[in-house]
Amino acid sequence: ATLAMAAAVGFLAASTTNAAAQDGSDVAAWYAMTFTPYGALPPLVTPRMVGTPPIGSRAARAFEIRYGRWSFDGDADDFNTFGIGGHAGDLGFVVGYGKCGGCDGVILGGVDFEWVLRTSNMGTAAAPSLFSIGLRPALGAGVFTGNADVYTLSGAVDLPISVSVPAGTTAHVVPFLSPGFGVGFLSDGSGSDSGARASLGAGIGLVASNGLGVHLGWRRIFLVDGPSTLGIALSFGR
C-alpha cells in the first residue's frame, strides 16, 4: 500500500526502492512527516531560546521566512519548500509551498507550542549566557495540488536544548540540538498508512537585539536511505 501511495504522490518513486525494503509504516511515517512543515522546513531559534523577553514578561513576537531543501542520494531533482510564519508568545505557526521539478506541489501548514522546562544562567555578569531546555509539540498537514485526495498529517514532539551566548553588545548566538519523535499519516484517497519515526534537529541562529535573526537549521527523520532537510531562515522580531 505504501508503494502505491508513493506512486500516487507522483514523486521520486524510483528513489523509494531502498526505503521500500523497510516496514511500510516506517516509509509512510517518513513521507508524512517530510511533507508537512515539521520535516520540510528547517528548525530555527525562537525568541524563548534567545532569552528575550525573559519568562513571565510580555509575549515575544517574530515574523519568519524559511526555506528548506532535501533530495535522495543520486537524484538531481531537489524538493524545495518556502514558508512564512512566526511566533506570538509561545505559539508558532507556518504556511508554505513545496515542489520539485517533476512533481506536484504541496501546500503545507502547521502550528507548534513551546514550553520552557528549565533555564539556567551561565557565563559571567559581564557576558551572561542562558542554557534552556524546552518542550515543543507540533501539528502539521500537507495537501498535494495535483490531487486533493493525496494528503499527509503529522504530529511530533521536540526537546530543544539551546545555549544563548552574547555576541558583542547587540546580539546573541544560539546553537541548539533538538531530538524528537513523531507520527505520520499518509493517504492517497484509495488507501492510507501511518507510522512513527524518531528525529534529530540541530542548528544555530544569530539574533540581534532589534529582533533581526539569521538561522541555519538541519533535521533528519530517521529512515534508512532517507535524506535530511537543510535550510535557512530570516526572522524579524519585536
Side-chain angles (χ1 to χ4, degrees), residues 188-210:
D188 69 352
S190 61
S192 63
D193 206 346
S194 62
R197 292 280 82 196
S199 67
L200 181 65
I204 189 168
L206 175 64
V207 183
S209 57
N210 63 6

Side-chain angles (χ1 to χ4, degrees), residues 122-124 126-130 163-174 206-207:
M122 304 170 58
T124 65
S129 300
L130 181 70
V163 179
S164 180
V165 180
T169 59
T170 61
H172 285 77
V173 174
V174 188
L206 175 64
V207 183

Side-chain angles (χ1 to χ4, degrees), residues 129-150:
S129 300
L130 181 70
F131 171 81
S132 66
I133 301 175
L135 185 69
R136 186 177 302 145
L139 297 173
V143 177
F144 286 78
T145 57
N147 184 349
D149 289 335
V150 181

